[in-house]
Amino acid sequence: MAARSDHQTVPLSVLLRRELANEKIEKPEIAHGQACQSKKGEDLTLLKTECQRVVGDGVSTYSVFGLFDGHNGSAAAIYSKENLLNNVLSAIPPDLNRDEWIAALPRALVAGFVKTDKDFQEKGQKSGTTVTFVIIEGWVVTVASVGDSRCVLESSDGELYYLSADHRLETNEEERVRITSSGGEVGRLNTGGGAEVGPLRCWPGGLCLSRSIGDMDIGEFIVPVPYVKQVKMSTAGGRLVICSDGVWDSLPAEVALDCCRGMPADAAAPHIVKEAVQAKGLRDDTTCIVVDILPQEKPPVSAPQTKRPVKGMLKSMFRKKSSESSSYIDKEYMEPDVVEELYEEGSAMLSERLDTKYPVCNMFKLFMCAVCQVEIKPGEGISIHEGAPDSRKFRPWDGPFLCSSCQEKKEAMEGKRSSGRISSGSDE
């Protein structure tokens, strides 16, 4: 007679409870608020919750938040707000499951940023924009950024994580080296007589930033290739604060988060803007988006009285993704304050960004441009590895592939050809 312990039965009520708990853990609640005090009218925001996409026989939802800080006019910010999301989504193959879709986001964001920049520059307008773009799917947060707007995550225990990079030439030595090696010049404004004033700028053009969308009059060594960070939050939730430099030039991240502690997101955003303006006056467009990512039917957890020291910007501050599979049901809230890094890359080299390995085998179709998604006739596609120093280890048919137009843009961004653009000053 077989032992009954071979197959342990689970009561239906327990199974239902587990299923309900799993659904709540998989789908956090998203609450958000935004605020702006405008001086130039060049800051724009994008807030889209409950975006839907078909997954197998079901529907998956995600949220998108974007901040576009324009300069030399608002045209680039407006165009990016209207087109960037569609360009990112068009770079993701259809019929991916949830994990594959999340894994495809970093490369799709790179392609979407470059395509948006390329399409806007064809319009011949000279404005530019910084972009901080956030996609939230479940507990996974993916942030892509160019420029000096920033996104900061505060976990439920008060720990701060910087999810974006600062592309100001004044503070980013690596970007200064990249620009000068690509044919640009970096220096301060010369007022005559040898006197130099103001922040470091890129010449020609005089832009203070090393990365942006637009800015066709400055040269393509000012690239639209974004820094991308992807993290998996704990099921205890947390708060995202996305702000333009009008806030960050006035308030450190710790102060911005402390000043609105305990407030709901829709009250926190205007309070941060108010604090920033009070600190240094309204010297620039000052915009803030606050996003709370919370467990369903669970009130926000009050922050501890004593906070841990804030970790340094862009350092190894995350627990790496475990190679062992885990179950949401089994773990539930056992590790409420762990933030896992899933992906991080900030290289300005398009070949490195589009060649990143992750488990999406069909990310780029053989006869489709990896950036602009146009169909390429057989024999006309150019491998992303074309002209690379180590190209000998790649075969001519190794993709992904670019059309001739996108290949020209890639070469210009890498300083392999002159962009042939006429310079004009920028007050960014």
Side-chain angles (χ1 to χ4, degrees), residues 147-148 150 166-172 208-210 245 249:
D148 57 359
R150 299 176 201 161
D166 193 334
H167 294 128
R168 282 188 179 181
L169 291 169
E170 187 71 32
T171 57
N172 197 319
C208 299
L209 308 172
S210 62
D245 61 333
D249 286 345

Side-chain angles (χ1 to χ4, degrees), residues 232-309:
K232 181 179 178 182
M233 294 179 55
S234 76
T235 55
R239 167 167 285 183
L240 292 174
V241 175
I242 310 159
C243 298
S244 63
D245 61 333
V247 169
W248 302 126
D249 286 345
S250 300
L251 302 177
E254 303 94 319
V255 175
L257 283 153
D258 284 343
C259 77
C260 64
R261 198 168 308 285
M263 298 181 181
D266 57 356
H271 194 73
I272 291 174
V273 169
K274 178 182 176 182
E275 289 289 318
V277 173
Q278 285 182 343
K280 291 192 176 181
L282 185 61
R283 302 189 299 181
D284 192 4
D285 292 343
T286 304
T287 305
C288 175
I289 303 171
V290 174
V291 183
D292 286 340
I293 307 172
L294 302 167
Q296 289 191 26
E297 298 181 4
K298 184 177 181 180
V301 179
S302 59
Q305 295 298 318
T306 303
K307 293 179 61 180
R308 299 178 186 176

Side-chain angles (χ1 to χ4, degrees), residues 172-371:
N172 197 319
E173 180 181 1
E174 185 177 351
E175 287 292 274
R176 295 198 297 268
V177 171
R178 179 185 64 78
I179 286 176
T180 54
S181 64
S182 297
E185 296 182 9
V186 176
R188 304 186 193 282
L189 184 64
N190 193 326
T191 60
E196 295 184 342
V197 297
L200 287 173
R201 298 175 182 271
C202 176
W203 305 99
L207 191 67
C208 299
L209 308 172
S210 62
R211 304 195 195 189
S212 69
I213 287 179
D215 293 308
M216 68 164 292
D217 55 325
I218 293 174
E220 286 179 287
F221 36 76
I222 303 297
V223 301
V225 181
Y227 168 90
V228 179
K229 171 84 81 175
Q230 186 177 74
V231 299
K232 181 179 178 182
M233 294 179 55
S234 76
T235 55
R239 167 167 285 183
L240 292 174
V241 175
I242 310 159
C243 298
S244 63
D245 61 333
V247 169
W248 302 126
D249 286 345
S250 300
L251 302 177
E254 303 94 319
V255 175
L257 283 153
D258 284 343
C259 77
C260 64
R261 198 168 308 285
M263 298 181 181
D266 57 356
H271 194 73
I272 291 174
V273 169
K274 178 182 176 182
E275 289 289 318
V277 173
Q278 285 182 343
K280 291 192 176 181
L282 185 61
R283 302 189 299 181
D284 192 4
D285 292 343
T286 304
T287 305
C288 175
I289 303 171
V290 174
V291 183
D292 286 340
I293 307 172
L294 302 167
Q296 289 191 26
E297 298 181 4
K298 184 177 181 180
V301 179
S302 59
Q305 295 298 318
T306 303
K307 293 179 61 180
R308 299 178 186 176
V310 177
K311 296 180 181 288
M313 182 181 294
L314 304 181
K315 291 184 179 179
S316 179
M317 61 182 73
F318 300 92
R319 169 176 149 174
K320 293 292 182 180
K321 182 181 180 182
S322 172
S323 59
E324 299 178 1
S325 62
S326 60
S327 167
Y328 281 119
I329 301 176
D330 294 337
K331 296 180 73 174
E332 283 199 18
Y333 296 97
M334 295 299 291
E335 294 181 331
D337 300 314
V338 173
V339 176
E340 300 178 5
E341 178 187 290
L342 305 182
Y343 180 94
E344 179 186 23
E345 181 58 69
S347 170
M349 304 294 287
L350 202 57
S351 56
E352 294 179 12
R353 304 302 297 278
L354 297 184
D355 193 42
T356 304
K357 300 185 185 305
Y358 49 76
V360 181
C361 299
N362 63 336
M363 182 64 195
F364 293 115
K365 297 179 180 178
L366 186 58
F367 302 120
M368 190 76 74
C369 176
V371 170

Side-chain angles (χ1 to χ4, degrees), residues 12-151:
L12 178 60
S13 59
V14 174
L15 289 175
L16 291 175
R17 245 188 343 262
R18 288 181 180 177
E19 186 67 23
L20 181 61
N22 183 49
E23 181 180 352
K24 289 182 178 179
I25 294 172
E26 284 280 3
K27 296 181 179 180
E29 288 195 1
I30 306 294
H32 68 275
Q34 67 168 329
C36 177
Q37 287 199 31
S38 179
K39 186 175 181 65
K40 302 177 183 178
E42 295 174 339
D43 277 9
L44 280 80
T45 59
L46 174 68
L47 301 91
K48 293 175 69 69
T49 59
E50 297 297 321
C51 302
Q52 294 186 341
R53 70 180 196 90
V54 177
V55 183
D57 57 354
V59 175
S60 178
T61 61
Y62 59 95
S63 299
V64 180
F65 300 92
L67 197 159
F68 310 87
D69 182 356
H71 48 265
N72 201 14
S74 59
I78 294 172
Y79 185 86
S80 298
K81 174 181 178 177
E82 293 176 348
N83 294 277
L84 179 57
L85 178 58
N86 287 337
N87 289 340
V88 172
L89 296 178
S90 69
I92 302 178
D95 303 324
L96 298 184
N97 63 34
R98 178 178 178 270
D99 290 341
E100 290 174 335
W101 193 84
I102 290 173
L105 276 177
R107 196 169 2 178
L109 282 160
V110 172
F113 269 63
V114 175
K115 175 174 170 54
T116 302
D117 175 76
K118 181 170 174 282
D119 291 349
F120 177 72
Q121 289 191 358
E122 290 176 356
K123 295 182 174 294
Q125 300 187 55
K126 295 181 180 180
S127 71
T129 186
T130 74
V131 180
T132 300
F133 204 67
V134 181
I135 298 178
I136 303 171
E137 212 287 1
W139 294 102
V140 176
V141 178
T142 308
V143 182
S145 60
V146 292
D148 57 359
S149 296
R150 299 176 201 161
C151 176

